[in-house]
Amino acid sequence: MTHVPTVTLVGAGPGDAELLTIKAVKALRRATVALVDDLVDPGVLRYLRRGTRVVHVGKRGGCASTPQAFIHKLMVAEAQRGETVVRVKGGDPFVFGRGGEECDALRAAGLHVEVVSGLTAGIAGPAAIGLPVTDRRHSRGVALVTGHAGTDGGEPDWAALARCGLTLVIYMGVMRLPVIVDALRVAGMAGDTPAALVSRAHTPAQRQALCRLGTLVDTVAAQGLQSPCIVVIGDVVQAAPMWAGQGAAAPQITAAHQATG
Ligand code: SAH
């Protein structure tokens, strides 16, 4: 039987390398070539063997990201040359990570694919401030939503989301918050709906703020919260310990990274 090369998509989690799975660490150790996204914390790369070739394929310094088709070609070419290829992605490869597209491209080239799940920022980010996104006292479920408008201008149906009663966990949304908040308000979501922002979760640069839907945009500006950032909108934000004691007045609380361990 001929040997079919395998490419492993590794979810690196949101930051802190200690959040890697054991399976992820094993895959990193085996690799001879690593194609790495920007959002991957440099600490994660310590688990690669010395001599492993590292190719950064994410957005760098505001430049356009490496075209997806190029990443596909590179993975295929390296694997066919006999390299042990890992594709290291922030969070979970299958949550807004283009992992599905990459699997399709690899399989189309006749390669095997293994996917190692990682902690996704939309769950682990809120958890970094003690916010349990499905706390049953406040939430019946969570919608993981992109805040990014597609190249075709397509975006989530904010009006439907405003009415669905689920906690909204928004990825890639911080730059587009004015549009998103407007759309939710127009659809009837109350301006005093609790909201949370967690920027650079699980890194030493973590920042967070709690506020209300109506003050989200100002909070981002006032606190200088930057991407990558997760936005949580829904009553469940009241379950965050930072919320306690703030009363009904719109709380606007920020804090630097707190040790969670
Ligand atoms: N596959 C990733 C998501 C990639 S999309 C995952 O599962 O987490 C990129 C978006 O993820 C960012 O715009 C931001 O909204 C979120 N994100 C990734 N890492 C983050 C972090 N450390 N802190 C806050 N948000 C993060």
Side-chain angles (χ1 to χ4, degrees):
M1 213 175 79
T2 51
H3 170 73
V4 179
T6 300
V7 173
T8 309
L9 306 194
V10 174
D16 186 353
E18 293 203 358
L19 295 177
L20 284 168
T21 62
I22 293 171
K23 215 169 207 181
V25 170
K26 285 182 176 168
L28 292 171
R29 286 211 199 290
R30 272 197 311 270
T32 57
V33 173
L35 277 68
V36 182
D37 271 351
D38 256 8
L39 282 180
V40 173
D41 197 87
V44 166
L45 305 183
R46 283 205 304 269
Y47 290 96
L48 295 168
R49 283 183 303 189
R50 203 178 306 165
T52 296
R53 188 146 44 88
V54 176
V55 186
H56 289 279
V57 292
K59 285 182 191 146
R60 312 289 303 170
C63 303
S65 49
T66 311
Q68 194 63 32
F70 175 81
I71 296 173
H72 296 169
K73 274 195 194 140
L74 191 59
M75 287 192 292
V76 170
E78 297 289 1
Q80 284 174 341
R81 273 175 1 122
E83 301 288 356
T84 304
V85 179
V86 286
R87 172 78 176 102
V88 191
K89 304 173 79 70
D92 185 283
F94 279 176
V95 181
F96 301 124
R98 298 196 171 182
E101 290 162 53
E102 294 184 2
C103 286
D104 285 353
L106 292 163
R107 291 192 188 111
L111 305 181
H112 282 159
V113 191
E114 194 191 344
V115 179
V116 179
S117 300
L119 269 68
T120 189
I123 310 289
I129 60 164
L131 173 45
V133 287
T134 66
D135 189 311
R136 68 176 189 165
R137 293 165 296 180
H138 303 281
S139 168
R140 290 271 163 262
V142 176
L144 302 183
V145 187
T146 176
H148 187 72
T151 40
D152 56 355
E155 59 179 302
D157 183 344
W158 297 111
L161 288 167
R163 296 190 200 101
C164 72
L166 301 176
T167 302
L168 304 185
V169 172
I170 305 175
Y171 292 68
M172 297 172 277
V174 79
M175 303 302 287
R176 295 195 70 248
L177 268 181
V179 177
I180 295 168
V181 169
D182 260 11
L184 293 171
R185 295 292 306 275
V186 166
M189 191 181 265
D192 65 355
T193 307
L197 296 145
V198 190
S199 162
R200 301 181 175 169
H202 293 288
T203 76
Q206 178 178 311
R207 303 266 302 155
Q208 54 264 323
L210 303 186
C211 57
R212 308 268 181 178
L213 179 63
T215 55
L216 255 176
V217 174
D218 288 348
T219 304
V220 169
Q223 306 300 332
L225 294 173
Q226 288 177 349
S227 190
C229 185
I230 286 290
V231 184
V232 183
I233 302 173
D235 286 341
V236 79
V237 170
Q238 294 169 69
M242 284 164 68
W243 188 273
Q246 297 306 310
Q252 192 151 306
I253 317 157
T254 58
H257 181 63
Q258 298 159 337
T260 49

